[in-house]
Amino acid sequence: MARSGRMFEIIQMLRTSSSPLTAEAIAARLEVTKRTVYRDIAALQATRVPIEGAAGIGYVMRRGFDLPPLMFTPEEMEAITVGLSLIARTGDHSLEEAGATAMAKIGEVLPSSEPSTTQTHLFVSSWHAIPDPAFDLRLLRRAIREERKLELRYRDGVGNLTQRIVCPLAIIYYIDGILLAGFCELRQDFRHFRHDRIEECEPLDLRFNGQSAALRKMWRDSHDLFYYETEENSP
């Protein structure tokens, strides 16, 4: 996460917390070190953001600090509400948590004249038939963002177990499954891996910086997302 985004997250955490937050708690949620949190809070305080507290005690935000209001039309708010609610159908629990946090943030900064996101007339079923993964799916999304290669232990539909090094490019959410699309170094081609057949997923220190956009275009040009193709039925 970029520093500006991280500092925004710190502000949001402190604004919505009912009790002081320690640097350790903030660092755990942001997945950074406590030293990084101390530096970010010091930088925020230097720009007159009203954060009070100290290391080892915890930090609070003084009342009265507001972010600029968001302006959405009623239909835009309905689209956001339905879209974030539909995330529950993906079976991606960490993405669902992020959606709930996003909804709370929107509710915090909406002008009082706008409809509340917590009292809606739109409801979405969260039912889905997607199996739970053996690992946290946020690992895949982070690796895609960071252009970081993944080492996978993958078991195909007939039980064969293989070790793969993959450049992850995209995640496809279907009604009954999730596919990771990537360039497989073993096959030297694009492949799709069912999330529930990935037994282990390990991010590597190997990067493919600057290549993901071109690889993703090649993959999209040669694959139909409406065809449910996985590694075991690839040519």
Side-chain angles (χ1 to χ4, degrees), residues 50-124:
I51 298 174
E52 297 179 344
I57 299 173
Y59 296 93
V60 296
M61 177 83 71
R62 285 204 311 269
R63 291 184 178 275
F65 182 79
D66 288 312
L67 295 172
L70 297 175
M71 303 301 293
F72 292 115
T73 66
E75 289 223 335
E76 287 172 340
M77 274 309 309
E78 290 175 346
I80 292 169
T81 299
V82 172
L84 291 176
S85 298
L86 282 169
I87 292 174
R89 289 191 179 183
T90 66
D92 189 331
H93 301 304
S94 57
L95 200 61
E96 187 176 354
E97 291 173 4
T101 302
M103 187 69 84
K105 288 179 180 178
I106 292 171
E108 280 286 322
V109 296
L110 275 176
S112 58
S113 59
E114 292 293 327
S116 170
T117 58
T118 59
Q119 297 181 359
T120 180
H121 56 284
L122 303 171
F123 300 91
V124 177

Side-chain angles (χ1 to χ4, degrees), residues 69-184:
L70 297 175
M71 303 301 293
F72 292 115
T73 66
E75 289 223 335
E76 287 172 340
M77 274 309 309
E78 290 175 346
I80 292 169
T81 299
V82 172
L84 291 176
S85 298
L86 282 169
I87 292 174
R89 289 191 179 183
T90 66
D92 189 331
H93 301 304
S94 57
L95 200 61
E96 187 176 354
E97 291 173 4
T101 302
M103 187 69 84
K105 288 179 180 178
I106 292 171
E108 280 286 322
V109 296
L110 275 176
S112 58
S113 59
E114 292 293 327
S116 170
T117 58
T118 59
Q119 297 181 359
T120 180
H121 56 284
L122 303 171
F123 300 91
V124 177
S125 168
S126 61
W127 182 90
H128 63 83
I130 299 176
D132 285 334
F135 60 97
D136 192 334
L137 288 171
R138 79 182 75 193
L139 286 176
L140 303 184
R141 298 197 304 275
R142 183 181 301 148
I144 292 171
R145 292 194 303 268
E146 296 178 352
E147 297 182 308
R148 183 187 298 272
K149 294 184 180 182
L150 294 171
E151 184 172 12
L152 308 179
R153 280 171 57 86
Y154 186 77
R155 191 175 298 277
D156 65 22
V158 296
N160 297 321
L161 184 65
T162 56
Q163 201 91 3
R164 309 295 184 94
I165 294 180
V166 175
C167 297
L169 301 174
I171 299 173
I172 313 161
Y173 293 92
Y174 288 99
I175 294 173
D176 58 348
I178 301 172
L179 299 187
L180 169 67
F183 184 84
C184 176

